Amino acid sequence: MYYTITLNPAIDRLLFLDQKMESRKTNRITNVDYDIGGKGTHGSYAMSKLGVDNVALGFMGELNSDAFQQIMDVKGITNQFTSIQGQKTRECYIVIDQVSTGTTMLTEKGFKVSKQDIDTFMDQLKKTVKKEDTVLIAGSLPEGFTINDLKRLVHLLKQIGCFIACDLSGDALKVAVDLGVDFIKPNEFEINDLNEDKEDLIPFLKGLNKTIQYIVVSMGKNGSYFLHNQQVFRVISPNVHEVNDTGAGDCFVGSFMAGLAKNFDLEETLRLASACAASKVMHNDSTTFDLDQVEQLKYQVQIQKY
Ligand code: ATP
Ligand code: MG
Ligand code: MG
């Protein structure tokens, strides 16, 4: 089974405007839509859409769990989130207008998890995940969930022996690297932060590839680098009209996992992930991509041995 873990999910409220948002002006909202925010859930969405069964795990607030579950139902995301009593899942406001590329996001900090919540979550994980499974840990850590808790989580998964994928930033990404997970997908900024001694990128990545089987460094419209078994590939993305790049990386990761799940070879997997992510940036929310578009875009992805 495939699992994703989103420790600090959100309910995204998409606010659509006809015109560019301005201060000192009434900005009229023309439409409101809801989406699940949280990198793991975005990965789950991509996998499900590509026909790969998976379960989204993590924490959710008890107080607005009905709203949270309703959006999960609409999005078709099977989930078993651990409920945090007396607290609510954070809400984020995403302003989307028809003029700008990119969006304005206003995000709440979210709930605080207790040691007890963390223990409950870890116990559930221990009972659920098996050696042959794959687990993606993605997104930020909620208040109360420390770097040491993340270490505990990765150690637990390593003990189980499952495949561990991580889409993390900053100190959390460092933990994933230090503990030698199986897959990471930093973007340009995240890899820069990790490369503290400012080594040349490719030798630095080859060093990481000694302990991490699969590495993707994503560079937005400039595509990505991919490393496996000390081989480096440069992946060139299709040239598309970008409307909103939020969630491109999440979509890439979910689709990459779907490719592995379908036993695609690595080239096919990279093609699929790059095409899904390119389709995603043509849509204005953080998750949507189009399977017909993906079929076309797949053939425009170029993969070169570096
Ligand atoms: P996020 O965390 O918001 O999900 P990210 O910053 O981690 O995204 P990016 O590097 O921005 O990830 O994008 C991931 C992948 O999506 C890229 O490697 C590329 O394959 C695809 N992509 C992103 N932007 C574009 C674009 N404008 N055109 C085509 N493909 C794109
Ligand atoms: Mg980006
Ligand atoms: Mg990302």
Side-chain angles (χ1 to χ4, degrees):
M1 181 49 85
Y2 284 74
Y3 296 99
T4 64
I5 296 177
T6 309
L7 297 164
N8 195 16
I11 294 176
D12 283 350
R13 197 183 294 243
L14 280 58
L15 309 175
F16 292 92
L17 309 184
D18 264 350
Q19 286 169 336
K20 211 173 158 66
M21 187 164 66
E22 279 178 52
S23 57
R24 297 195 191 84
K25 203 190 115 183
T26 299
N27 296 279
R28 207 169 294 286
I29 296 166
T30 50
N31 193 21
V32 179
D33 206 352
Y34 291 89
D35 199 355
I36 289 293
K39 299 193 161 292
T41 56
H42 293 168
S44 274
Y45 175 80
M47 272 192 271
S48 303
K49 184 148 177 166
L50 293 166
V52 173
D53 284 346
N54 70 89
V55 181
L57 306 172
F59 295 114
M60 68 174 175
E62 172 227 354
L63 297 180
N64 54 355
S65 60
D66 286 352
F68 186 76
Q69 285 302 328
Q70 204 183 339
I71 304 170
M72 293 297 233
D73 278 354
V74 171
K75 289 270 158 189
I77 302 173
T78 308
N79 72 91
Q80 284 166 28
F81 274 81
T82 303
S83 184
I84 311 288
Q85 296 307 301
Q87 299 204 50
K88 64 193 257 293
T89 298
R90 66 193 168 128
E91 290 193 18
C92 297
Y93 300 85
I94 301 174
V95 182
I96 303 172
D97 66 51
Q98 294 181 348
V99 193
S100 330
T101 52
T103 55
T104 306
M105 301 188 31
L106 307 167
T107 67
E108 288 182 347
K109 196 164 68 174
F111 44 59
K112 181 172 180 180
V113 297
S114 65
K115 187 173 176 314
Q116 167 104 54
D117 297 323
I118 297 171
D119 288 345
T120 306
F121 174 70
M122 300 275 188
D123 286 347
Q124 190 200 342
L125 213 58
K126 211 170 180 170
K127 285 186 203 132
T128 315
V129 179
K130 304 280 175 287
K131 189 179 186 330
E132 59 276 15
D133 295 337
T134 292
V135 178
L136 165 67
I137 310 171
S140 61
L141 309 182
E143 202 184 335
F145 196 99
T146 63
I147 282 291
N148 273 330
D149 293 319
L150 179 67
K151 283 185 190 160
R152 208 177 124 202
L153 169 59
V154 176
H155 275 306
L156 170 65
L157 295 175
K158 289 208 86 142
Q159 228 166 39
I160 293 170
C162 62
F163 184 101
I164 311 170
C166 289
D167 186 1
L168 300 167
S169 315
D171 288 344
L173 174 59
K174 270 192 204 120
V175 166
V177 167
D178 290 346
L179 298 184
V181 299
D182 302 287
F183 171 92
I184 56 170
K185 191 224 62 70
N187 65 21
E188 294 164 276
F189 308 104
E190 291 157 345
I191 199 68
N192 242 328
D193 284 350
L194 190 69
N195 187 357
E196 282 170 336
D197 300 332
K198 303 298 162 217
E199 259 183 79
D200 288 342
L201 181 63
I202 300 300
F204 176 67
L205 295 178
K206 280 192 166 175
L208 295 181
N209 190 218
K210 286 178 185 153
T211 47
I212 301 168
Q213 281 191 66
Y214 300 96
I215 301 174
V216 175
V217 175
S218 68
M219 304 175 292
K221 69 173 169 19
N222 296 318
S224 54
Y225 284 110
F226 173 67
L227 283 91
H228 180 61
N229 285 338
Q230 293 295 306
Q231 303 222 52
V232 186
F233 298 89
R234 176 76 177 88
V235 184
I236 314 271
S237 282
N239 196 355
V240 299
H241 175 66
E242 179 182 307
V243 179
N244 178 9
D245 75 340
T246 306
D250 307 346
C251 178
F252 188 104
V253 171
S255 311
F256 188 94
M257 288 172 66
L260 294 182
K262 287 164 179 269
N263 282 321
F264 285 4
D265 65 31
L266 289 174
E267 186 179 325
E268 248 180 309
T269 300
L270 285 169
R271 260 180 213 292
L272 175 71
S274 305
C276 291
S279 172
K280 177 3 277 160
V281 304
M282 297 167 79
H283 292 82
N284 60 12
D285 65 9
S286 358
T287 47
T288 304
F289 62 100
D290 181 288
L291 293 175
D292 291 331
Q293 236 166 25
V294 168
E295 280 313 304
Q296 308 278 319
L297 291 169
K298 265 198 315 208
Y299 300 100
Q300 296 168 38
V301 178
Q302 292 175 48
I303 302 170
Q304 299 157 355
K305 191 139 193 294
Y306 187 77

